Amino acid sequence: MPHRLMLLDTASLYFRAFYGVPDTIRRADGTPVNAVRGLLDMIARLTTDYEATHLVACWDDDWRPQWRVDLIPSYKSHRVAEVVAGAPDVEVVPDALEAQIPLIRRVLELAGIAVVGAAEHEADDVVGTYASHAGLPVDVVTGDRDLFQVVDDARQVRVIYTARGMKNLEVLTDAVVVDKYRVLPRQYADYATLRGDTSDGLPGVAGIGEKTAASLLGEYGTLDGLLAAAADAGSGLSASVRSKLAAAADYLAVAPAVVNVVRDLELPSLEEAGAQLRPVAGDSRAELERLAAEWNLGGSVRRLLDALDLRG
């Protein structure tokens, strides 16, 4: 089997599992396990269908890094449950999901699935770094549009988009991004900066929506190119657009650093992280099977083990 790396935007997936799998699926004591089971089923299916040989569950060590908040205070502010001085803020997470996250980490560990995060960075930045330097074909699995910027046919990087559910997965290549948004993947971060994104608390440029953002990038190539045209009295940029860009000058000066994923983190190599998928054996397999029985994870753990056994 040719080597292929799969990068999971893990929080995106376990949130989707939590809301997509009935919360009536519980341990005998009533503890919900729907997110755990849903995530394991996703991993089993995705790694099999897309023939992944390597897998990294990319983790939000800091889901709202302070350096991004310092640049744009509204960044993800609507999702803050508690502000914590000197540490990552507490995100709004349903109690029934919060209770399952330690078990998710434990099951991934026992299954030999690499979990990688980075201090003061989001999972998106881990994805961006691995996708940019992996040296082998990459599938990024996410339900968030932010990561469309890493799609790159030349590097064989695709996004498997889960927003419409596991029965309606969409594989994004350069052509698909262009067809959907009329911008190239490498322009997507600039497009998102101009358009804004309410789900991330990014205001965008008032009066510039998706169509206008795509049109401007089609003409000027990049945000820098657009701003250079705005500063050039002799360019053909309309007075209306100049005015809108001028009004958003402070935002545009900092937004690219927030919107662009980091691609140069110091992360363990795929070998160091243990990213290659292998059958689970010995004590780890016995413990997984024990947990499956104790926590009512049986079918999902069995499907994951079967998928990993194919890597033998």
Side-chain angles (χ1 to χ4, degrees), residues 8 45 87 98 120 123 135 138 161-162 167 177 184 235 255 290 307:
L8 305 181
R45 178 186 162 187
E98 186 76 38
E120 300 180 353
V138 177
Y161 190 44
T162 64
K167 293 182 179 178
V177 174
L184 293 164
S235 74
R290 187 192 68 79

Side-chain angles (χ1 to χ4, degrees), residues 1 48 279 305-312:
M1 182 184 294
T48 300
L305 288 171
D306 288 347
L308 295 174
D309 284 344
L310 296 175
R311 273 67 188 173

Side-chain angles (χ1 to χ4, degrees), residues 165-185:
M166 291 296 290
K167 293 182 179 178
N168 297 287
L169 295 173
E170 186 174 11
V171 179
L172 277 80
T173 59
D174 287 4
V176 175
V177 174
V178 170
D179 185 59
K180 289 172 73 73
Y181 299 103
R182 297 293 184 258
V183 296
L184 293 164

